[in-house]
Amino acid sequence: SLLSLPGKGRVSWPIPFETTILGSPQIDTDGGVIDGNTIKWSTSGLKTVTLTVDDIVSRAQIEILDLPGMAIDLPQQVLAGTPVQATLPEHLLSSEVAFEVLRDEGVAFIHEEGQAEATFIFPERDGSYDLNVKATDDVFGEIYQNTQVEVTGSGFVPVIGQIGTDEATGCNRISWSIPTELPAPLQPGTVRIYRETAVSDRYELLGGRSAVGTV
């Protein structure tokens, strides 16, 4: 071929082209801008470059791609020490892409290769934590995406306030209080009460109720 281009390129990035024709051929770039031996397109899509000199015409095509989405769908706030499920962006699942998740100290990342689902476990310390996704491939090179997550509710646990007998039923009655104010999305829906058995560190479930209430 008298004209050659790579198969894929990225928007607003100079794409090198090669030609074996000497002289000054006419080049139709399909909307691209020539700078030396590179062409840059500002829009994505399949582009056709046509080179003409005298009666000779040569064409080559290239697919121009937008930068892929790299954001991980984590909530902005999470409860300290709680595992959080997340779906990785599709770009990271390609066999042509190598990626890593750079994390602040104490943040765990659990993921099986090729799977879209991943688990993050944040420290049991309140604070703001950064996750930086780094992806590398032949088309986009190295690209990064930062995600910041606020961890709150460190030390959160319902505290048993009173144990007594319910006058109406004669059953044991346990009341508790929530010692920490949490944002509404992080409020627990249910409190479960366990009793230690005769075996050390083994417990049996007595019951569960709304986080605001008694059992």
Side-chain angles (χ1 to χ4, degrees), residues 65-135:
L65 305 172
D66 290 314
L67 280 175
M70 293 273 288
I72 299 175
D73 64 340
L74 285 166
Q76 292 183 336
Q77 287 185 318
V78 300
L79 188 61
T82 302
V84 180
Q85 302 295 320
T87 301
L88 299 181
E90 184 178 353
H91 179 66
L92 302 184
L93 304 180
S94 170
S95 60
E96 299 176 353
V97 176
F99 80 93
E100 58 181 322
V101 180
L102 309 174
R103 312 176 299 281
D104 280 346
E105 183 178 358
V107 180
F109 174 59
I110 303 170
H111 174 251
E112 293 186 13
E113 185 176 353
Q115 298 299 310
E117 300 303 316
T119 301
F120 291 86
I121 303 177
F122 292 88
E124 295 188 8
R125 301 188 305 273
D126 290 353
S128 182
Y129 294 85
D130 283 313
L131 305 173
N132 281 290
V133 179
K134 173 187 174 184

Side-chain angles (χ1 to χ4, degrees), residues 30-177:
D30 197 4
V33 176
I34 293 180
D35 182 9
N37 66 335
T38 67
I39 307 174
K40 184 186 295 183
W41 285 272
S42 60
T43 59
S44 60
L46 185 64
K47 310 296 183 180
T48 301
V49 178
T50 304
L51 183 150
T52 305
V53 58
D54 297 330
D55 295 330
I56 301 173
V57 178
S58 182
R59 294 182 177 87
Q61 289 187 317
I62 181 173
E63 185 179 4
I64 299 299
L65 305 172
D66 290 314
L67 280 175
M70 293 273 288
I72 299 175
D73 64 340
L74 285 166
Q76 292 183 336
Q77 287 185 318
V78 300
L79 188 61
T82 302
V84 180
Q85 302 295 320
T87 301
L88 299 181
E90 184 178 353
H91 179 66
L92 302 184
L93 304 180
S94 170
S95 60
E96 299 176 353
V97 176
F99 80 93
E100 58 181 322
V101 180
L102 309 174
R103 312 176 299 281
D104 280 346
E105 183 178 358
V107 180
F109 174 59
I110 303 170
H111 174 251
E112 293 186 13
E113 185 176 353
Q115 298 299 310
E117 300 303 316
T119 301
F120 291 86
I121 303 177
F122 292 88
E124 295 188 8
R125 301 188 305 273
D126 290 353
S128 182
Y129 294 85
D130 283 313
L131 305 173
N132 281 290
V133 179
K134 173 187 174 184
T136 307
D137 69 279
D138 293 338
V139 176
F140 298 103
E142 288 186 0
I143 52 178
Y144 294 82
Q145 173 71 49
N146 175 266
T147 299
Q148 193 171 75
V149 177
E150 180 186 353
V151 174
T152 188
S154 176
F156 170 82
V157 62
V159 176
I160 293 177
Q162 185 177 9
I163 300 177
T165 302
D166 185 83
E167 295 182 359
T169 64
C171 296
N172 291 333
R173 181 183 180 90
I174 301 173
S175 62
W176 58 82
S177 61

Side-chain angles (χ1 to χ4, degrees), residues 176-196:
W176 58 82
S177 61
I178 305 296
T180 306
E181 289 294 331
L182 294 178
L186 302 182
Q187 287 285 353
T190 302
V191 169
R192 294 184 176 91
I193 304 296
Y194 294 83
R195 176 175 59 193
E196 189 171 15

